[in-house]
Amino acid sequence: MSHGVLPSAGPEDPVVVDGEVARRRGWGWLLLVPGMLYLAVFFVFPTIQLFLTSLYDPSGSYVTGYNLTWHFANYVDAIRDTWNLFVRSFIYAGIATFVCLMLGYPLAYAIAFKAGRWKNFMLVLVIAPFFTSFLLRTLSWRTILADEGPVAHFLRTIQILPDNGRLLATPVAVIAGLIYNFMPFMTLPLFASLDKVDYRLIEAAGDLYSSPLSGFRRVTMPLSLPGVVSGTLLCFIPACGDYINAELLGTPKQYMVGNRIQAAFLTEHNYPLAASLSLILMAVVVVMVIIYVRRVGTEELV
Amino acid sequence: MAETNRDLHLESLTKNFGDFTAVRDLTLTVPNGTFFALLGPSGCGKTTTLRMVAGLEDPTQGRIRIGDQDVTRLRPYKRPVNTVFQSYALFPHLTIFENVAFGLRRRGVKDYKQKTLDMIDLVQLGPYAGRKPAQLSGGQQQRVALGRALINEPGVLLLDEPLGALDLKLRRQMQIELKRIQTEIGVTFVHVTHDQEEAMTMADTIAVMNHGVIEQMGAPDDLYENPVTTFVANFLGQSNLIMTDIIDSSGPEVVVDCQGQKIGVAAERCHAQGRKAWLGIRPEKIFASHVGEAERTDSNVLAGGRISDVSFIGVSTQYLVAMPWDQELMVFEQNTGRRPLFKNGDEVDLSWSSEHAFLLDADQDAHAGMMRPEDKE
């Protein structure tokens, strides 16, 4: 890490005495201090606070105040009351991530290998949605999916949707919103990974009797796996905690864990419940991610 | 290799990239089992030709046949052709064993394990079978690339500047190694290179390419001793080219007026059309002697030279000799030690045996095919 800062203090430079090296290295590490401080104040401290909040006495209230009673039963209550929301969140996020991968991989592949001089332009298009607010874009999906909107109308005409069927306020709408909103987080890491794959390796696979499909399976796919892993993680993790899409495109029947946490924090002021839900979500996601990375990591080199 | 007729035929092969014609109406036959080199500067179309044979580029026109099989429109993975890529293109996520076994496994060969191990032994990488390409040196990676292609027993093995990334000493070693393997297994090698020494060391036949066409094709010594264009004369080794007027082309020896002095060249070595011609002579064929001491009676002699530069190389000495018509000629002399070196300013006569000179068409650029410093690696 210090190589960039200290070009002359490498091991091949024996002229520099030990004290000198130590002093200079100290300067390099100093650059980390602002970031560390920032994380300490705005991440470590709030997380501790969140943990303590999750152990407050649940009989307290916004008005009367809370006592820290190490009430671990909050977690049991939270899981008992909202386990179905967890399941729904993971299913929605899982489907959304899978569809993002299916849509994003060909897109990233095309940008990396086929776009030619349009490469940068296409990348800008992938990022373009970020130029407007997340909220506004999700709201505009209400118009797209509206009962009298063209999409619903078309699907009714071709009889995919029954005559009184709706798109808005269904799981389809919520998942579609998730897919749309997290698509760039899938596409960009995939592109970064695929762009690094030497196209000559794909040619070499073809030269060595691989059909395009087999070459993809044996060469392109394994080499782009780091992008698949980071893309799915960047998609799945925030999608699990998302509440905007369920709020704006769904009904309470489609609510996810995020909606419950948001309501508990901001509407009901039930801080212990909100905090324990947050921490459970965090813990479950971390466990899922570890299992996922382990599995993919070992499968990579078949 | 069981089939007897696996000659590679290229017929009127043309490849355009937009307005640019990379390969123009190329026709050639590579006999089965030969070591064939496509030699030329970068951008001459040699790599494009190779890629068309491999199936990595589609020809704009023309046909490619291997034996009786027309492979022109065949996808790469269906061709009996394998390539050793310039960058090796080894699969970084696979071990050496898996890299070498790749082609056999894709074709569903059952006893691929033993064959793979045998091939790894042939390219002398036995102890490295379990390693990843990144853990190998350049020369070792090169051998993996070779083994990975050869194990499939291709009808034609294509080599795209396979030694370009190696240092000089290793390159010499691998040249001999490649030639040995080719002789041993008898597979047709088509070798693309811009290195004329590499081509001459290894190939049975060399095709010199320039601007998408073959300038001249033949055995290395034929090309070197009897080039038909200034490009070949300059690209393969070095040549002195002197503008001359043809006086008499009726006899077995063409007589030219070389800046006022009469020179004879064997008629079969005359490749010039008009009244004027470039007289070509290789620097090592010229013998410099003190004025009036030119020995051999059957020699051509150019008088009036003056040594203008002496470069001592070790095995030889390179002289630049200023001629009266304002041209410097190059003369190489072996350091046999039999006579003292010339010094700057010494007056000399230059002589050579008449079967060593050649005459080239005067319309051509005398500098075509010369190595510019940026072409060297």
Side-chain angles (χ1 to χ4, degrees), chain B residues 271-337:
Chain B
H271 311 292
Q273 302 298 327
R275 301 298 312 157
K276 285 179 165 293
W278 291 110
L279 170 70
I281 179 78
R282 299 283 188 186
E284 74 279 9
K285 301 290 196 305
I286 303 179
F287 186 78
S289 49
H290 289 289
V291 177
E293 290 178 6
E295 296 156 20
R296 306 199 320 242
T297 45
D298 63 333
S299 296
N300 289 305
V301 181
L302 275 182
R306 193 170 43 76
I307 303 283
S308 61
D309 186 71
V310 182
S311 305
F312 180 74
I313 308 289
V315 293
S316 65
T317 305
Q318 301 187 2
Y319 297 107
L320 282 181
V321 181
M323 300 310 287
W325 58 88
D326 208 25
Q327 183 181 11
E328 284 186 320
L329 300 184
M330 231 177 320
V331 177
F332 295 169
E333 183 171 331
Q334 288 292 313
N335 271 342
T336 56

Side-chain angles (χ1 to χ4, degrees), chain A residues 21-37:
Chain A
V21 172
R23 193 181 62 76
R24 287 222 243 155
R25 214 158 257 168
W27 280 105
W29 286 104
L30 266 185
L31 292 174
L32 279 177
V33 169
M36 293 297 214
L37 271 178

Side-chain angles (χ1 to χ4, degrees), chain A residues 58-301:
Chain A
S59 62
S61 80
Y62 182 52
V63 186
T64 59
Y66 289 100
N67 294 315
L68 176 58
T69 55
W70 304 96
H71 195 89
F72 281 99
N74 282 341
Y75 284 90
V76 181
D77 295 342
I79 292 174
R80 193 191 56 228
D81 294 344
T82 60
W83 64 270
N84 57 328
L85 291 184
F86 276 102
V87 172
R88 186 183 293 148
S89 296
F90 295 135
I91 290 176
Y92 283 11
I95 294 173
T97 305
F98 179 74
V99 176
C100 275
L101 182 62
M102 291 300 116
L103 296 176
Y105 201 105
L107 177 60
Y109 189 94
I111 299 175
F113 294 126
K114 308 287 177 194
R117 62 202 180 94
W118 297 101
K119 198 179 201 170
N120 287 333
F121 179 70
M122 286 182 77
L123 276 177
V124 169
L125 286 188
V126 170
I127 308 165
F130 291 130
F131 294 146
T132 31
S133 136
F134 174 64
L135 217 56
L136 272 176
R137 283 183 285 126
T138 311
L139 273 170
S140 67
W141 270 77
R142 294 177 69 132
T143 321
I144 298 171
L145 300 178
D147 292 343
E148 295 313 315
V151 179
H153 184 74
F154 175 71
L155 291 179
R156 276 188 216 111
T157 311
I158 61 167
Q159 291 295 309
I160 281 183
L161 215 55
D163 288 339
N164 58 349
R166 327 182 48 188
L167 282 175
L168 204 58
T170 62
V172 173
V174 178
I175 295 172
L178 287 171
I179 293 167
Y180 166 71
N181 276 309
F182 292 106
M183 187 75 161
F185 296 102
M186 178 65 84
T187 311
L188 290 179
L190 278 176
F191 165 78
S193 227
L194 282 166
D195 198 40
K196 269 191 285 182
V197 174
D198 189 342
Y199 193 73
R200 288 169 295 192
L201 294 177
I202 300 173
E203 289 187 342
D207 189 64
L208 293 164
Y209 310 103
S210 291
S211 63
L213 191 67
S214 145
F216 175 77
R217 220 163 70 79
R218 300 287 169 186
V219 177
T220 318
M221 186 65 197
L223 290 175
S224 66
L225 213 54
V228 174
V229 172
S230 47
T232 46
L233 292 183
L234 281 177
C235 228
F236 183 75
I237 296 171
C240 283
D242 182 80
Y243 63 93
I244 297 289
N245 287 285
E247 173 89 40
L248 296 181
L249 305 174
T251 66
K253 280 187 195 160
Q254 285 83 38
Y255 274 7
M256 299 164 72
V257 173
N259 300 86
R260 190 72 193 89
I261 296 173
Q262 189 232 12
F265 259 123
L266 300 180
T267 320
E268 302 160 18
H269 301 295
N270 187 348
Y271 296 149
L273 174 67
S276 43
L277 280 175
S278 301
L279 285 170
I280 294 168
L281 180 63
M282 207 190 271
V284 174
V285 168
V286 165
V287 170
M288 290 171 97
V289 165
I290 289 173
I291 294 171
Y292 172 67
V293 171
R294 284 249 172 107
R295 281 211 49 179
V296 176
T298 51
E299 270 179 6
E300 182 191 357
L301 306 173

Side-chain angles (χ1 to χ4, degrees), chain B residues 138-295:
Chain B
Q140 290 167 334
Q141 291 185 21
Q142 214 286 322
R143 294 212 291 272
V144 178
L146 186 65
R148 187 179 72 170
L150 276 179
I151 194 168
N152 303 295
E153 300 181 359
V156 178
L157 183 77
L158 307 174
L159 302 108
D160 184 8
E161 304 257 6
L163 309 179
L166 305 180
D167 61 54
L168 193 65
K169 205 173 156 197
L170 203 51
R171 196 152 33 173
R172 292 276 173 275
Q173 241 174 305
M174 283 305 297
Q175 285 171 9
I176 297 165
E177 187 76 351
L178 270 179
K179 182 67 192 165
R180 180 183 67 80
I181 291 174
Q182 194 270 335
T183 318
E184 220 170 275
I185 60 176
V187 168
T188 310
F189 276 33
V190 178
H191 180 124
V192 155
T193 181
H194 68 273
D195 181 338
Q196 41 110 0
E197 268 188 57
E198 191 171 301
M200 289 202 281
T201 312
M202 293 192 282
D204 305 313
T205 309
I206 298 176
V208 181
M209 276 190 87
N210 190 27
H211 297 309
V213 297
I214 292 181
E215 294 255 338
Q216 191 178 356
M217 194 164 94
D221 49 344
D222 286 344
L223 290 192
Y224 185 82
E225 301 296 355
N226 193 7
V228 299
T229 64
T230 57
F231 180 85
V232 177
N234 290 322
F235 195 77
L236 242 68
Q238 290 167 298
S239 296
N240 294 300
L241 294 176
I242 309 162
M243 184 49 80
T244 59
D245 294 300
I246 296 181
I247 301 171
D248 177 14
S249 55
S250 56
E253 215 168 61
V254 179
V255 181
V256 296
D257 174 354
C258 178
Q259 311 287 336
Q261 309 185 49
K262 271 191 188 165
I263 297 289
V265 179
E268 70 269 18
R269 299 171 66 83
C270 173
H271 311 292
Q273 302 298 327
R275 301 298 312 157
K276 285 179 165 293
W278 291 110
L279 170 70
I281 179 78
R282 299 283 188 186
E284 74 279 9
K285 301 290 196 305
I286 303 179
F287 186 78
S289 49
H290 289 289
V291 177
E293 290 178 6
E295 296 156 20

